[in-house]
């Protein structure tokens, strides 16, 4: 096993650990640990809410989830010799739930969760159709998972970090805050908001204290979106065996990682759409000198996916176009087209006995594939969602005998404001 450089004690909260991570992006957050190019190492990660979501049959914890405090990230990890303009090569060697703990109160201890976030606390991809909080608990069985809240399905997880990235420079941080503030200003009362501005409340900033803490908290960027540094990209195929090339903006690169997922469908459509968990990740780092200019990788990370994905051979696919539910034509709106494809899939699954919320949770958690299938044929973009048929224990394709009727079980816990 690689050396454990960022340990987490499951009996203690994130802020009481031997090494304290962070939940904001800022170049002045000190590195918690330093490694060398060529090193392999292990990092423990807490699930993104640090234990606020529990294994029960209520969705009150999703409804009341403390969004201001996410994501709790392990790091920053400085890499000796990394300089602005380099590319940091990160290999994911291994990844999984909390080691040696197959049961317990924390997500990752034998279980994980998927949540539909309410419109008043985060929302989601289909928040207009699903404005309330729902939750599904998923039990881990080796590489596979099942849920008492979404019965009759079992699938192999594609375990991956939802969030990994390098620290921004001061100029890049200023760019983020300026452009996101301008977006918020176009509709400042929108619910959910158009973007999340810096918020000192609930900031966790590693070893910073006093005036230094206050200064960084006032301008540190929230970790919710993906940005030029990688960040919260939620790419389900960024799994074991993947190699990522991250732009370096500060000395040491200051790599951070967290938000581990046992599984996820493309798009993480319920916002907390993955199966969230704590766990471990084994990494190896190298430095590619002046790689940003050499390869033109200055505004994005690029990656080579791993080859450990489950091998599904049959899918049931649904398509959507850029026409609203009210019949309004939109011009090549791929986002809307994917929404419509997902809604078509949800409506289809309800014919077998699932509630719409169970179907929505399933699309967020299972390894569905989302694709932009047509983006040139005006006025309609076309998007598709592919569901592996093998995850169901009943025939799910259309047939002359009609939809097989399942027992939907206890259903997905629901909480409304």
């Amino acid at each position: 096993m690689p050396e454990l450089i960022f340990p987490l004690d499951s009996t203690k909260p994130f802020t009481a650990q031997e090494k304290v991570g962070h939940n904001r992006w800022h170049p002045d957050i000190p590195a918690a640990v330093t490694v060398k190019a060529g090193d392999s190492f292990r990092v423990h990660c807490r699930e993104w809410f640090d234990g606020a979501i529990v294994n029960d049959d209520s969705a009150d914890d999703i409804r009341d989830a403390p969004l201001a405090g996410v994501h709790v990230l392990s790091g920053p990890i400085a890499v000796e010799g990394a300089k602005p303009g380099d590319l940091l090569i990160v290999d994911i060697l291994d990844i999984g739930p909390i080691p040696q703990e197959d049961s317990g109160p924390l997500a990752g201890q034998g279980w994980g969760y998927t949540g539909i976030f309410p419109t008043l606390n985060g929302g989601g991809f289909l928040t207009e159709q699903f404005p309330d909080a729902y939750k599904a608990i998923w039990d881990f069985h080796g590489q596979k998972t099942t849920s008492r809240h979404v019965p009759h399905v079992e699938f192999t997880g594609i375990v991956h970090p939802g969030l990994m990235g390098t620290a921004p420079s001061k100029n890049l941080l200023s760019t983020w805050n300026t452009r996101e503030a301008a977006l918020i200003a176009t509709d400042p009362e929108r619910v959910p908001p158009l973007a999340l501005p810096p918020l000192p409340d609930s900031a966790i900033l590693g070893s910073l204290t006093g005036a230094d803490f206050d200064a960084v908290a006032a301008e540190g960027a929230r970790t919710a979106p993906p940005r030029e540094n990688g960040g919260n990209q939620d790419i389900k195929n960024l799994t074991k065996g993947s190699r990522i090339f991250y732009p370096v903006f500060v000395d040491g690169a200051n790599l951070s990682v967290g938000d581990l997922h046992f599984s996820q469908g493309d798009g993480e459509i319920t916002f907390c759409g993955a199966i969230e968990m704590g766990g471990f990740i084994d990494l190896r780092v190298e430095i590619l000198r002046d790689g940003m200019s050499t390869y033109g990788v200055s505004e994005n990370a690029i990656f080579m996916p791993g080859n450990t994905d489950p091998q599904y051979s049959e899918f049931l696919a649904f398509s959507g176009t850029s026409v609203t539910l009210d019949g309004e034509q939109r011009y090549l709106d791929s986002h809307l087209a994917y929404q419509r494809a997902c809604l078509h899939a949800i409506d289809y699954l309800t014919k077998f006995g699932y509630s719409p919320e169970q179907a929505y949770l399933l699309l967020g958690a299972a390894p569905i594939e989302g694709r932009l299938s047509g983006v040139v044929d005006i006025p309609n973009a076309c998007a598709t969602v592919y569901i592996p048929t093998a995850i169901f224990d009943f025939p799910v394709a259309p047939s002359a005998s009609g939809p097989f009727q399942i027992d939907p079980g206890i259903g997905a816990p629901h909480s409304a404001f």
Side-chain angles (χ1 to χ4, degrees):
M1 185 182 79
E3 178 187 1
L4 176 60
I5 64 167
F6 200 99
L8 292 176
D9 184 339
S10 295
T11 66
K12 297 178 180 179
F14 191 71
T15 54
Q17 299 291 330
E18 172 189 342
K19 290 183 173 65
V20 177
H22 62 105
N23 63 358
R24 303 288 192 265
W25 291 117
H26 197 286
D28 293 339
I29 299 173
V33 65
T34 299
V35 299
K36 297 179 180 179
D39 282 356
S40 299
F41 51 88
R42 172 165 291 192
V43 175
H44 286 170
C45 299
R46 188 66 56 85
E47 62 89 15
W48 70 313
F49 278 118
D50 191 27
I53 311 302
V54 298
N55 186 348
D56 65 8
D57 298 324
S58 168
D60 288 356
D61 50 4
I62 294 292
R63 180 194 63 196
D64 305 327
L67 275 177
V70 298
H71 299 76
V72 287
L73 301 180
S74 297
I77 301 164
V79 181
E80 284 187 12
K83 297 291 184 183
D86 294 340
L87 287 177
L88 184 68
I89 304 173
V90 180
D91 291 313
I92 300 178
L93 305 178
D94 200 2
I95 184 172
I98 299 174
Q100 285 77 52
E101 298 183 29
D102 58 6
S103 64
L106 292 178
Q109 293 177 320
W111 64 278
Y113 65 89
T114 301
I116 297 174
F117 269 64
T119 301
L120 295 177
N121 192 27
F125 188 56
L126 302 176
T127 196
E128 292 184 2
Q129 291 77 37
F130 297 91
D132 291 343
Y134 289 83
K135 183 173 74 178
I137 298 296
W138 299 88
D139 295 310
F140 303 157
H141 316 284
Q143 291 182 287
K144 294 186 177 182
T145 187
T146 59
S147 173
R148 63 184 182 270
H149 297 134
V150 188
H152 302 285
V153 295
E154 180 183 64
F155 50 85
T156 300
I158 307 177
V159 186
H160 62 280
L163 197 162
M164 186 158 56
T166 53
S169 65
K170 288 185 180 295
N171 286 341
L172 184 56
L173 175 63
S174 177
T175 296
W176 294 350
N177 286 337
T178 299
R179 74 189 184 198
E180 291 171 25
L183 177 62
I184 293 170
T186 64
D187 190 359
E189 304 303 320
R190 186 180 187 272
V191 178
L194 290 170
L196 300 173
L199 180 67
D201 179 50
S202 301
I204 302 170
L205 304 174
S207 60
L208 288 178
T209 60
D212 292 336
F213 181 98
D214 294 340
V216 169
E219 59 185 19
R222 309 279 285 278
T223 60
R227 297 187 180 93
E228 288 88 339
N229 67 328
N232 193 28
Q233 295 183 293
D234 291 315
I235 300 170
K236 80 175 194 296
N237 303 102
L238 201 69
T239 186
K240 183 165 62 175
S242 295
R243 168 169 282 194
I244 312 100
F245 302 82
Y246 287 110
V248 175
F249 302 105
V250 301
D251 288 342
N254 282 6
L255 178 73
S256 297
V257 61
D259 190 30
L260 302 189
H261 299 161
F262 186 85
S263 179
Q264 180 199 298
D266 278 337
E268 198 186 14
I269 60 175
T270 73
F271 182 56
C272 176
I275 300 179
E276 306 283 350
M277 69 172 196
F280 75 95
I281 185 168
D282 293 345
L283 303 173
R284 181 174 56 233
V285 293
E286 297 281 359
I287 299 169
L288 186 59
R289 296 294 179 203
D290 300 317
M292 289 175 64
S293 60
T294 301
Y295 291 98
V297 182
S298 58
E299 295 185 353
N300 65 296
I302 61 175
F303 74 101
M304 302 169 67
N307 57 4
T308 59
D309 296 359
Q311 301 301 304
Y312 293 111
S313 59
E314 181 182 83
F315 296 84
L316 191 62
F318 301 83
S319 62
T321 58
S322 47
V323 178
T324 70
L325 288 170
D326 296 329
E328 178 188 351
Q329 181 71 63
R330 300 281 180 84
Y331 179 76
L332 295 181
D333 188 336
S334 299
H335 183 273
L336 173 59
Y338 193 52
Q339 285 183 323
R340 295 303 305 273
C342 290
L343 287 169
H344 291 153
I346 290 168
D347 182 62
Y348 180 87
L349 291 174
T350 64
K351 306 304 181 185
F352 295 82
Y354 288 117
S355 71
E357 291 76 22
Q358 286 176 307
Y360 187 22
L361 288 161
L362 176 60
L363 293 187
I368 66 169
E369 296 184 8
R371 302 180 185 178
L372 297 181
S373 301
V375 293
V376 297
D377 297 312
I378 60 172
N380 272 331
C382 178
T384 47
V385 55
Y386 289 57
I387 304 176
T389 60
I391 71 175
F392 300 97
D393 66 6
F394 60 91
V396 73
S399 69
S401 59
F404 183 91
Q405 293 302 297
I406 63 156
D407 177 359
I410 64 175
H414 169 220
S415 293
F417 275 97

